[in-house]
Amino acid sequence: MSEEEKKVIPYVIYVRKSTTKGSGEQEKSIPDQIEACLNYAEQHKDEMDIMLKPEDFIFETEEDLLDEDADSNPTHAELYQKTRHLYIIKEQASAKDPWARPKWNRLISLIKKGEIKGVLSYSPDRQSRNMVDGGHLIHLAHNYLVKLKYTNFSFDNNAGGRMMLWIWFVFSKQYVDKMTEDSQRGTRSSVLAWSTLGNFKYWYKESASRTFTPFYPHFHHLQKAFQMKIRDKKSNSDIADWLNDVGFLKLVKDANVDWWRLEWVNASSLARIWTDPFYYGIYIYWETTVDLREVSDEYEPMITKEEHEELLQRKYENKRNEYSKIKEENKQFYAVPKGMLIDAQGIKFNPSIPSKNKRHKKNLTILQETKPDADLTDIIQYHHIYYEMKTDKSKLHNTRFKYSELEKMIVGKLSKLRVGSDEYELFMNAHRMMVERINNERLKELRMHQMNLWTFVKRKNDWMTKSLVPNLNQEQEELINKKLDWIKKTINYIQQEMKRLEEQEEIEVAKFLDFKKILNNAKKYYANASLEQKAKICNMLFDNIVVHSKQRVVFKVKPELESIFK
């Protein structure tokens, strides 16, 4: 269909429900908003006409429809089904930050192109709770690019009406800012009062006064697991097997629904707790730190500070060991990054290169006789790489994909990628928000490294003091020098990690500049890319790739990029 033949859409309905914690009680549900908008449209049918949904409707996915059909409220599910033919944009995202809502951004893009002329919402705060998005919308109305209607607010597109709409947006922002400030103030007070804030630590429970207290008998099980790690130097896998044998379960947040569930502990979850300072008494929640040993009578430490420091020492040593080098070596062959390919339950497919150490490394040795600079990338080909579901709990257990199969699907997805000037502008704004989020995460990790650095600097000073003691024998001197050498290496490593984190924002910007080159010709770029570059492209575009069956594979595009896939 040519641009001239495209129908201009007179009115669409936009509804939004924030996913921000604590906001649910103040907001009408999406079905309630839809019903209010439809009633308003019926009462004003002489002035407006809600369009039917086009075949190429870009504001919902098959998964969205399945979620609507499965709504726990039968009345809501029925309303969704009855209105599915109408042009209704449903978004679940906070409007606190500008450019942070993919569907709203796409709607604005269509308005600027002249494809949509009017928007009906329950109230102005459904459209914006920040001054950037609000001001942008008023600018579009001022230039008569969009007509705005609300069920509970009468808007006239004149100087007075635009001023009243602006005031509404101002109050909406003030409300959400105050709610954030109150929440942060309450959080800090709660941490200083050693409240759990609903956080979960293996195996502590929330007491009647909402503080951390040991949960027996599993507290002693985990305490023994710590000793197996510290004293016996058992592997994480062996300790996980032992914990599962004694009935130790971990509590995890379900990614798809708002509840917690129990599951078996695994090696990766144990790796995260060994160096958590909480287990010797230091509770860190964002920028607030409290020593539970000093303020809480109910808290009991799992290990001592010295044992925690020993586990930290091993952590930083392991960062430099041969195993890490092998993992890094393998990563260069995973064109679909490890952990990105999952089943519908969220269980990951395992990438593998059969016979890598036997056949491929043997062939590499032969090749290096004539080509000394050769490495494994000169030997291993695409058809050597597989992704297999090895977890027997998955319904897709033993399902295997060749990389060539996945590549064909990825190329098909990339062929749908189109980037116009509007999409480019929206992506730029979304990227700025993404960099800000990354920066916040970086600061949190930086704070943890700073704390570890202080610990090791103090240990260095203690050992240097010991080295000044007169009349040390040779064995004592060697021990002190060995300890000092290790501590200095560890301090150097932590400082390197901190420098890496400090440079991360610049790295993200550099990645973005690379991405700009890829966007408009992604399919061709991907076809000519190395395996490592292909992985980079996947990381840039997709959150994950969900396998429902060999015939049905769904790509979860990053929210800020949804509008560029048509």
Side-chain angles (χ1 to χ4, degrees):
M1 184 183 288
S2 68
E3 292 297 321
E4 291 76 22
E5 292 174 318
K6 278 187 178 178
K7 286 185 178 179
V8 174
I9 301 168
Y11 275 96
V12 302
I13 293 175
Y14 176 82
V15 293
R16 182 185 65 83
K17 179 88 162 67
S18 177
T19 56
T20 304
K21 185 178 179 181
S23 63
E25 296 302 319
Q26 291 81 27
E27 298 180 2
K28 271 188 172 290
S29 69
I30 282 181
D32 288 342
Q33 292 176 51
I34 292 174
E35 195 166 12
C37 288
L38 291 177
N39 290 338
Y40 181 92
E42 177 63 26
Q43 293 166 13
H44 299 81
K45 57 186 175 184
D46 294 337
E47 306 172 27
M48 59 191 308
D49 182 23
I50 304 299
M51 283 294 294
L52 300 181
K53 184 191 301 181
E55 290 183 7
D56 58 343
F57 191 60
I58 59 174
F59 292 100
E60 65 188 13
T61 64
E62 185 179 342
E63 282 69 29
D64 292 334
L65 300 181
L66 291 173
D67 288 343
E68 290 178 0
D69 291 342
D71 195 296
S72 58
N73 187 324
T75 306
H76 290 175
E78 183 181 2
L79 179 67
Y80 285 134
Q81 291 162 1
K82 284 183 177 179
T83 59
R84 195 156 284 169
H85 63 293
L86 297 175
Y87 205 123
I88 302 175
I89 303 168
K90 292 163 278 201
E91 187 150 51
Q92 296 200 39
S94 171
K96 175 187 173 184
D97 297 317
W99 311 109
R101 292 169 290 157
K103 294 181 182 180
W104 175 257
N105 294 341
R106 184 61 183 153
L107 171 60
I108 293 297
S109 175
L110 294 177
I111 290 171
K112 290 168 72 175
K113 290 178 180 178
E115 295 180 23
I116 292 177
K117 287 295 184 184
V119 181
L120 169 62
S121 290
Y122 174 72
S123 69
D125 63 8
R126 298 302 84 212
Q127 296 176 347
S128 177
R129 283 191 184 274
N130 70 81
M131 305 318 297
V132 176
D133 286 343
H136 195 188
L137 187 63
I138 290 174
H139 175 73
L140 293 174
H142 178 66
N143 288 283
Y144 299 99
L145 293 175
V146 65
K147 297 177 182 178
L148 301 175
K149 299 287 184 182
Y150 305 99
T151 66
N152 68 350
F153 174 75
S154 180
F155 172 69
D156 294 317
N157 195 7
N158 53 39
R162 291 190 292 271
M163 182 187 73
M164 293 302 296
L165 183 58
W166 177 257
I167 291 172
W168 188 297
F169 289 143
V170 168
F171 278 113
S172 296
K173 175 168 175 54
Q174 189 272 340
Y175 167 78
V176 76
D177 285 351
K178 186 177 185 305
M179 189 168 66
T180 301
E181 289 172 6
D182 290 347
S183 175
Q184 290 174 344
R185 191 183 301 113
T187 295
R188 178 171 173 77
S189 300
S190 296
V191 173
L192 293 175
W194 60 92
S195 170
T196 67
L197 286 168
N199 290 322
F200 179 81
K201 298 288 185 179
Y202 315 113
W203 260 99
Y204 290 80
K205 65 180 180 178
E206 187 176 73
S207 68
S209 56
R210 298 199 67 196
T211 61
F212 291 106
T213 186
F215 182 70
Y216 300 107
H218 289 309
F219 178 84
H220 291 316
H221 289 150
L222 189 56
Q223 204 167 35
K224 182 177 178 180
F226 266 101
Q227 294 309 312
M228 290 169 70
K229 186 68 179 176
I230 297 166
R231 186 185 61 240
D232 304 333
K233 297 184 179 179
K234 295 282 188 180
S235 71
N236 291 351
S237 296
D238 288 343
I239 298 173
D241 289 341
W242 177 80
L243 285 169
N244 289 329
D245 287 343
V246 297
F248 185 99
L249 295 170
K250 63 174 181 172
L251 192 66
V252 295
K253 185 78 166 64
D254 193 284
N256 301 312
V257 292
D258 191 23
W259 52 272
W260 296 76
R261 58 189 168 84
L262 288 167
E263 66 177 36
W264 298 113
V265 71
N266 54 40
S268 60
S269 60
L270 287 177
R272 288 191 292 272
I273 71 168
W274 297 141
T275 54
D276 186 342
F278 170 84
Y279 292 98
Y280 85 88
I282 302 301
Y283 181 34
I284 301 173
Y285 192 90
W286 292 99
E287 296 184 358
T288 305
T289 303
V290 64
D291 190 335
L292 296 173
R293 297 166 299 178
E294 296 179 357
V295 299
S296 175
D297 294 330
E298 298 183 353
Y299 172 81
E300 181 182 337
M302 188 82 65
I303 55 174
T304 66
K305 181 180 179 182
E306 291 70 29
E307 288 172 330
H308 170 75
E309 290 176 355
E310 183 176 339
L311 289 171
L312 269 182
Q313 172 179 336
R314 293 190 202 171
K315 171 188 173 181
Y316 288 116
E317 282 178 342
N318 288 340
K319 290 282 187 179
R320 301 187 291 267
N321 68 13
E322 188 63 28
Y323 178 65
S324 297
K325 293 178 183 176
I326 293 170
K327 285 180 72 176
E328 285 299 313
E329 181 184 79
N330 287 345
K331 277 174 65 176
Q332 66 184 314
F333 302 110
Y334 299 151
V336 175
K338 188 174 182 180
M340 180 169 283
L341 192 70
I342 60 175
D343 71 0
Q345 300 168 266
I347 302 174
K348 300 171 184 177
F349 280 75
N350 293 93
S352 62
I353 307 167
S355 306
K356 180 170 81 71
N357 290 324
K358 295 180 182 178
R359 176 162 58 92
H360 297 307
K361 287 202 170 182
K362 182 180 178 182
N363 291 339
L364 175 62
T365 304
I366 296 171
L367 178 62
Q368 285 175 334
E369 293 176 2
T370 55
K371 188 181 175 183
D373 295 335
D375 58 28
L376 279 172
T377 57
D378 297 304
I379 297 292
I380 295 175
Q381 304 298 316
Y382 292 171
H383 63 272
H384 295 143
I385 304 167
Y386 288 85
Y387 290 79
E388 186 174 2
M389 177 54 71
K390 295 182 179 179
T391 306
D392 56 11
K393 293 179 183 178
S394 171
K395 295 178 181 177
L396 299 177
H397 183 225
N398 290 330
T399 299
R400 175 188 272 199
F401 284 91
K402 293 180 180 177
Y403 169 67
S404 56
E405 295 176 282
L406 294 172
E407 182 177 45
K408 195 176 295 183
M409 299 177 198
I410 293 170
V411 170
K413 187 68 176 176
L414 294 181
S415 65
K416 299 177 181 178
L417 192 151
R418 300 286 185 276
V419 187
S421 58
D422 290 325
E423 285 80 7
Y424 179 78
E425 179 189 349
L426 292 173
F427 176 73
M428 286 283 287
N429 290 320
H431 178 267
R432 292 188 189 101
M433 297 300 301
M434 180 184 70
V435 169
E436 186 176 328
R437 288 195 297 272
I438 290 171
N439 194 41
N440 289 336
E441 293 169 4
R442 176 187 65 82
L443 288 173
K444 186 177 179 182
E445 192 176 348
L446 196 60
R447 180 178 173 80
M448 182 64 75
H449 280 304
Q450 183 70 61
M451 185 175 174
N452 292 339
L453 183 62
W454 291 337
T455 298
F456 283 104
V457 167
K458 184 178 181 303
R459 290 185 69 181
K460 175 187 171 185
N461 294 336
D462 290 343
W463 280 97
M464 288 188 73
T465 302
K466 291 178 182 179
S467 71
L468 299 176
V469 175
N471 303 321
L472 292 172
N473 61 40
Q474 184 178 353
E475 184 179 351
Q476 289 172 324
E477 286 184 356
E478 287 177 355
L479 174 64
I480 290 172
N481 289 333
K482 183 178 178 182
K483 279 286 184 181
L484 278 171
D485 182 57
W486 176 83
I487 290 172
K488 287 174 183 176
K489 286 180 180 178
T490 302
I491 288 173
N492 182 56
Y493 176 80
I494 296 174
Q495 288 172 334
Q496 289 176 355
E497 284 292 289
M498 291 172 70
K499 184 179 179 182
R500 176 186 65 78
L501 287 166
E502 287 167 354
E503 294 172 348
Q504 189 167 356
E505 188 170 354
E506 295 177 18
I507 293 169
E508 288 300 323
V509 172
K511 284 182 182 178
F512 178 57
L513 294 175
D514 287 341
F515 192 26
K516 288 198 296 185
K517 299 174 186 175
I518 297 170
L519 274 180
N520 278 309
N521 201 11
K523 184 177 176 181
K524 183 178 178 181
Y525 190 99
Y526 187 88
N528 298 321
S530 66
L531 289 171
E532 199 167 359
Q533 289 170 328
K534 290 176 190 286
K536 183 177 179 182
I537 294 171
C538 284
N539 273 325
M540 286 176 170
L541 297 175
F542 311 120
D543 278 336
N544 50 54
I545 303 171
V546 184
V547 180
H548 295 272
S549 68
K550 286 281 281 188
Q551 293 73 37
R552 182 169 171 243
V553 178
V554 177
F555 288 80
K556 294 286 187 180
V557 177
K558 288 184 180 295
E560 62 269 23
L561 300 177
E562 285 179 354
S563 65
I564 67 175
F565 283 91
K566 297 182 179 178

